[in-house]
DNA sequence: CTGGGGATGGGGCCC
DNA sequence: AGGGCCCCATCCCCA
């Protein structure tokens, strides 16, 4: 299930402490091959490359420096993402996953053949046990990614380049900041068609719309009670409220 | 304890 | 390939 950070839910209860991360100066390293450090091969684990935050920009410029002795070229197409492998199987099927193109290996579904195809390359070297290749590992956390782009995206969650001009809070992506800014401006562009409520976030409107629905789509498998949100169902099951846990 | 709103994060998809 | 948007999911808090 979990989106990477959600995995923490089962092993830790708190969100990443970004304040710690913020204290780490982000220094753009000069483009040096030594900045890429291959870690030791641990039992059953593939060798991974630890990418310094500062290396990335340099690496992206590396096209202009073909003479640079870069590490062994990584076969991005066959790398797996640990994201894909982390506990996803525990994920209850979401409504959106009732799509047509399903991965026969992990049963994850996609709405397009392209999406499925992209996903399936991750199985070429499943991060699980038979991984033989490399992954892009974040220097700041244990996370690994199958592509530089995915890692770069992830690293933004450490560097938090999008800063709110009002309160200084930092975000990993511009649209996250945009949503946050609405908390200052009070802007609520997403209106409910059924009542007068409006929301700053589309997801919250979607959740709200559930309250107008007679059909609650999250059902406890033990007591058949239904809930409008998965989080409510989780709370219900974790508390053993159905009396059969 | 339950239900709902607010805020937020990350992957997928599309351009 | 990268950026932006969408969707999903969760946590926190409060009524």
């Amino acid at each position: 299930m979990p989106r990477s950070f959600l995995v923490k839910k089962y092993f830790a209860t708190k969100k990443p402490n970004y304040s710690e991360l913020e204290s780490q100066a982000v220094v753009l390293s000069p483009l040096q091959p030594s900045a890429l450090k291959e870690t030791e091969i641990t039992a059953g684990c593939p060798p991974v490359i630890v990418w310094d935050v500062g290396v990335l920009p340099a690496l992206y410029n590396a096209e202009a420096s073909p003479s640079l002795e870069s590490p062994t070229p990584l076969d991005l197409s066959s790398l797996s993402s640990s994201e894909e492998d982390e506990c996803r199987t525990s994920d209850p099927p979401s409504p959106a996953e009732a799509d047509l193109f399903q991965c026969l290996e992990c049963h994850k579904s996609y709405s397009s053949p392209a999406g499925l195809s992209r996903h399936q390359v991750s199985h070429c070297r499943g991060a699980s046990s038979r991984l033989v290749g490399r992954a892009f590992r974040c220097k700041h956390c244990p996370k690994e990614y199958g592509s530089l782009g995915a890692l770069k995206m992830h690293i933004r969650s450490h560097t938090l380049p999008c800063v709110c001009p009002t309160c200084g809070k930092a975000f990993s992506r511009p649209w996250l900041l945009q949503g946050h800014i609405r908390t200052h401006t009070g802007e609520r562009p997403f209106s409910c068609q059924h009542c007068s409520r409006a929301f700053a976030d589309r997801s919250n409107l979607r959740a709200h719309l559930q309250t107008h629905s007679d059909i609650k789509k999250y059902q406890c498998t033990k007591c058949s009670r239904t809930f409008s949100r998965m989080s409510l169902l989780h709370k219900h099951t974790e508390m053993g409220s159905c009396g059969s846990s």
Side-chain angles (χ1 to χ4, degrees), chain A residues 115-193:
Chain A
L116 172 60
S117 176
R118 242 181 298 202
H119 159 77
Q120 283 181 324
V121 300
S122 72
H123 289 307
C124 293
R125 293 183 193 167
S128 43
S129 59
R130 49 198 164 74
L131 258 175
V132 183
R134 301 183 190 191
F136 294 90
R137 175 182 285 182
C138 176
K139 178 187 178 183
H140 301 280
C141 71
K143 299 189 76 61
E144 297 172 17
Y145 292 86
S147 72
L148 202 53
L151 174 62
K152 186 187 176 189
M153 181 71 74
H154 163 74
I155 285 179
R156 294 184 72 136
S157 68
H158 293 302
T159 59
L160 302 175
C162 309
V163 181
C164 174
T166 304
C167 68
K169 188 170 171 60
F171 296 86
S172 58
R173 304 191 205 179
W175 57 265
L176 278 173
L177 171 59
Q178 195 174 10
H180 166 76
I181 288 176
R182 292 199 189 109
T183 68
H184 294 305
T185 63
E187 183 190 6
R188 292 167 177 261
F190 304 99
S191 306
C192 176
Q193 296 177 338

Side-chain angles (χ1 to χ4, degrees), chain A residues 23-221:
Chain A
S23 66
Q24 297 175 352
V26 179
V27 180
L28 298 186
S29 312
L31 184 52
Q32 296 172 346
S34 60
L36 303 176
K37 297 168 287 189
E38 195 160 334
T39 60
E40 291 182 6
I41 300 175
T42 55
C45 298
V48 297
I49 298 215
V50 179
W51 299 84
D52 191 323
V53 171
V55 163
L56 292 172
L59 187 68
Y60 281 102
N61 292 333
E63 290 175 1
S65 312
S67 62
L68 175 71
E69 192 177 31
S70 61
T72 308
L74 296 167
D75 181 4
L76 298 182
S77 66
S78 59
L79 287 168
S80 79
S81 159
S82 65
E83 293 297 333
E84 291 295 324
D85 297 297
E86 281 181 358
C87 311
R88 264 204 204 279
T89 52
S90 66
D91 223 356
S94 69
E97 284 176 348
D99 290 330
L100 297 175
F101 305 94
Q102 187 177 49
C103 174
L104 296 177
E105 196 157 341
C106 69
H107 301 99
K108 190 172 180 185
S109 300
Y110 292 84
S111 56
S112 70
L116 172 60
S117 176
R118 242 181 298 202
H119 159 77
Q120 283 181 324
V121 300
S122 72
H123 289 307
C124 293
R125 293 183 193 167
S128 43
S129 59
R130 49 198 164 74
L131 258 175
V132 183
R134 301 183 190 191
F136 294 90
R137 175 182 285 182
C138 176
K139 178 187 178 183
H140 301 280
C141 71
K143 299 189 76 61
E144 297 172 17
Y145 292 86
S147 72
L148 202 53
L151 174 62
K152 186 187 176 189
M153 181 71 74
H154 163 74
I155 285 179
R156 294 184 72 136
S157 68
H158 293 302
T159 59
L160 302 175
C162 309
V163 181
C164 174
T166 304
C167 68
K169 188 170 171 60
F171 296 86
S172 58
R173 304 191 205 179
W175 57 265
L176 278 173
L177 171 59
Q178 195 174 10
H180 166 76
I181 288 176
R182 292 199 189 109
T183 68
H184 294 305
T185 63
E187 183 190 6
R188 292 167 177 261
F190 304 99
S191 306
C192 176
Q193 296 177 338
H194 306 286
C195 67
S196 59
R197 292 198 70 103
F199 300 84
D201 183 86
R202 193 191 304 271
S203 294
N204 290 339
L205 168 60
R206 196 174 296 115
H208 165 77
L209 287 173
Q210 273 288 304
T211 67
H212 290 300
S213 172
D214 292 334
I215 302 171
K216 299 177 180 178
K217 57 184 181 181
Y218 300 104
Q219 185 174 40
C220 175
T221 56

